[in-house]
Short mmCIF file of all heavy atoms in Angstrom, two decimals:
data_model
loop_
_atom_site.label_atom_id
_atom_site.label_comp_id
_atom_site.label_asym_id
_atom_site.label_seq_id
_atom_site.Cartn_x
_atom_site.Cartn_y
_atom_site.Cartn_z
N GLU T 84 23.01 -5.76 1.32
CA GLU T 84 24.11 -4.80 1.81
C GLU T 84 24.50 -3.90 0.79
O GLU T 84 24.58 -4.39 -0.45
CB GLU T 84 25.17 -5.71 2.39
CG GLU T 84 24.86 -6.21 3.71
CD GLU T 84 25.97 -6.75 4.63
OE1 GLU T 84 26.94 -5.98 4.80
OE2 GLU T 84 25.91 -7.90 5.02
N THR T 85 24.90 -2.77 1.10
CA THR T 85 25.44 -1.83 0.00
C THR T 85 26.57 -0.99 0.67
O THR T 85 26.66 -0.84 1.95
CB THR T 85 24.35 -0.85 -0.48
OG1 THR T 85 24.90 -0.19 -1.56
CG2 THR T 85 23.74 0.08 0.46
N ASP T 86 27.52 -0.47 -0.13
CA ASP T 86 28.63 0.40 0.34
C ASP T 86 28.36 1.67 -0.18
O ASP T 86 28.43 1.91 -1.39
CB ASP T 86 29.92 -0.32 -0.12
CG ASP T 86 31.08 0.41 0.36
OD1 ASP T 86 30.94 1.67 0.95
OD2 ASP T 86 32.28 -0.07 0.36
N ILE T 87 28.24 2.72 0.72
CA ILE T 87 28.05 4.14 0.34
C ILE T 87 29.41 4.91 0.67
O ILE T 87 29.35 6.16 0.78
CB ILE T 87 26.80 4.68 0.82
CG1 ILE T 87 26.82 4.62 2.38
CG2 ILE T 87 25.68 4.13 0.18
CD1 ILE T 87 25.69 5.53 2.94
N GLY T 88 30.47 4.22 0.93
CA GLY T 88 31.71 4.81 1.32
C GLY T 88 31.88 4.95 2.80
O GLY T 88 32.50 5.89 3.37
N GLN T 89 30.94 4.25 3.54
CA GLN T 89 30.88 4.45 4.94
C GLN T 89 32.17 4.04 5.87
O GLN T 89 32.37 4.34 6.97
CB GLN T 89 29.65 3.78 5.58
CG GLN T 89 29.78 2.26 5.54
CD GLN T 89 29.19 1.70 4.36
OE1 GLN T 89 28.93 2.23 3.29
NE2 GLN T 89 28.78 0.41 4.37
N GLY T 90 32.99 3.17 5.21
CA GLY T 90 34.23 2.74 5.94
C GLY T 90 33.90 1.68 7.00
O GLY T 90 32.86 1.19 7.06
N ASP T 91 34.78 1.75 8.03
CA ASP T 91 34.49 0.88 9.16
C ASP T 91 33.80 1.59 10.22
O ASP T 91 34.32 2.42 10.94
CB ASP T 91 36.01 0.51 9.65
CG ASP T 91 35.88 -0.56 10.76
OD1 ASP T 91 34.80 -1.30 10.85
OD2 ASP T 91 36.91 -0.68 11.70
N VAL T 92 32.46 1.21 10.33
CA VAL T 92 31.62 1.88 11.19
C VAL T 92 30.80 0.85 12.03
O VAL T 92 30.75 -0.32 11.52
CB VAL T 92 30.60 2.76 10.39
CG1 VAL T 92 31.29 4.04 9.80
CG2 VAL T 92 29.80 2.00 9.32
N PRO T 93 30.18 1.26 13.10
CA PRO T 93 29.50 0.19 13.95
C PRO T 93 28.12 -0.01 13.49
O PRO T 93 27.33 -0.62 14.17
CB PRO T 93 29.53 0.83 15.40
CG PRO T 93 29.58 2.23 15.08
CD PRO T 93 30.42 2.46 13.74
N TRP T 94 27.70 0.37 12.33
CA TRP T 94 26.40 0.09 11.78
C TRP T 94 26.44 -0.49 10.37
O TRP T 94 27.59 -0.51 9.76
CB TRP T 94 25.55 1.39 11.64
CG TRP T 94 26.07 2.47 10.84
CD1 TRP T 94 25.96 2.58 9.41
CD2 TRP T 94 26.82 3.53 11.21
NE1 TRP T 94 26.59 3.66 9.06
CE2 TRP T 94 27.23 4.31 10.07
CE3 TRP T 94 27.39 4.04 12.46
CZ2 TRP T 94 27.95 5.45 10.14
CZ3 TRP T 94 28.13 5.13 12.53
CH2 TRP T 94 28.46 5.94 11.37
N THR T 95 25.48 -1.12 9.92
CA THR T 95 25.42 -1.70 8.60
C THR T 95 24.49 -0.97 7.72
O THR T 95 23.40 -0.61 7.98
CB THR T 95 24.85 -3.29 8.72
OG1 THR T 95 25.62 -3.92 9.72
CG2 THR T 95 24.86 -3.94 7.45
N VAL T 96 24.99 -0.78 6.50
CA VAL T 96 24.19 0.01 5.53
C VAL T 96 23.53 -1.05 4.59
O VAL T 96 24.22 -2.01 3.97
CB VAL T 96 25.09 0.97 4.64
CG1 VAL T 96 24.16 1.74 3.63
CG2 VAL T 96 25.76 1.92 5.53
N LEU T 97 22.30 -1.01 4.36
CA LEU T 97 21.42 -1.78 3.52
C LEU T 97 20.81 -1.02 2.60
O LEU T 97 20.54 0.18 2.75
CB LEU T 97 20.48 -2.66 4.30
CG LEU T 97 21.00 -3.61 5.37
CD1 LEU T 97 19.81 -4.20 6.27
CD2 LEU T 97 21.87 -4.70 4.77
N ALA T 98 20.23 -1.67 1.50
CA ALA T 98 19.33 -0.92 0.59
C ALA T 98 18.00 -1.79 0.48
O ALA T 98 18.07 -3.01 0.56
CB ALA T 98 19.86 -0.83 -0.74
N ASP T 99 16.89 -1.14 0.48
CA ASP T 99 15.58 -1.77 0.41
C ASP T 99 15.40 -2.28 -1.07
O ASP T 99 16.28 -2.11 -1.92
CB ASP T 99 14.44 -0.81 0.82
CG ASP T 99 14.16 0.26 -0.07
OD1 ASP T 99 14.46 0.24 -1.24
OD2 ASP T 99 13.43 1.28 0.29
N PRO T 100 14.32 -2.97 -1.29
CA PRO T 100 14.09 -3.54 -2.67
C PRO T 100 14.18 -2.60 -3.86
O PRO T 100 14.48 -2.92 -5.03
CB PRO T 100 12.71 -4.27 -2.54
CG PRO T 100 12.78 -4.58 -1.09
CD PRO T 100 13.30 -3.40 -0.33
N GLU T 101 14.03 -1.26 -3.56
CA GLU T 101 14.08 -0.34 -4.61
C GLU T 101 15.36 0.49 -4.58
O GLU T 101 15.54 1.47 -5.25
CB GLU T 101 12.87 0.68 -4.52
CG GLU T 101 11.63 -0.12 -5.00
CD GLU T 101 10.51 0.92 -5.55
OE1 GLU T 101 10.76 2.08 -5.69
OE2 GLU T 101 9.42 0.28 -5.74
N GLY T 102 16.31 0.04 -3.75
CA GLY T 102 17.63 0.66 -3.74
C GLY T 102 17.79 1.81 -2.84
O GLY T 102 18.81 2.57 -2.79
N ASN T 103 16.77 2.20 -1.95
CA ASN T 103 16.95 3.19 -0.98
C ASN T 103 17.80 2.76 0.24
O ASN T 103 17.52 1.82 0.82
CB ASN T 103 15.53 3.66 -0.51
CG ASN T 103 14.61 4.09 -1.52
OD1 ASN T 103 14.95 5.12 -2.17
ND2 ASN T 103 13.49 3.51 -1.66
N GLU T 104 18.97 3.55 0.42
CA GLU T 104 19.84 3.02 1.44
C GLU T 104 19.16 3.41 2.93
O GLU T 104 18.43 4.32 3.06
CB GLU T 104 21.07 3.74 1.40
CG GLU T 104 21.87 3.56 0.20
CD GLU T 104 21.72 4.61 -0.96
OE1 GLU T 104 20.99 5.50 -0.81
OE2 GLU T 104 22.33 4.30 -2.05
N PHE T 105 19.45 2.55 3.81
CA PHE T 105 19.06 2.75 5.25
C PHE T 105 20.16 2.07 6.13
O PHE T 105 20.95 1.25 5.66
CB PHE T 105 17.71 2.29 5.50
CG PHE T 105 17.46 0.80 5.46
CD1 PHE T 105 17.42 -0.03 6.56
CD2 PHE T 105 17.24 0.21 4.20
CE1 PHE T 105 17.33 -1.44 6.47
CE2 PHE T 105 17.02 -1.07 4.09
CZ PHE T 105 17.05 -1.92 5.27
N CYS T 106 20.20 2.39 7.43
CA CYS T 106 21.24 1.96 8.40
C CYS T 106 20.53 1.16 9.40
O CYS T 106 19.47 1.47 9.89
CB CYS T 106 22.05 3.02 8.81
SG CYS T 106 23.11 3.88 7.72
N VAL T 107 21.27 -0.01 9.76
CA VAL T 107 20.83 -0.68 10.95
C VAL T 107 21.97 -0.42 11.98
O VAL T 107 23.12 -0.72 11.88
CB VAL T 107 20.77 -2.25 10.71
CG1 VAL T 107 20.45 -3.00 12.04
CG2 VAL T 107 19.73 -2.57 9.69
#
Side-chain angles (χ1 to χ4, degrees):
E84 282 196 55
T85 189
D86 186 343
I87 58 171
Q89 68 268 18
D91 185 23
V92 293
W94 59 84
T95 302
V96 181
L97 300 173
D99 70 18
E101 290 202 9
N103 299 299
E104 295 99 1
F105 66 98
C106 295
V107 178

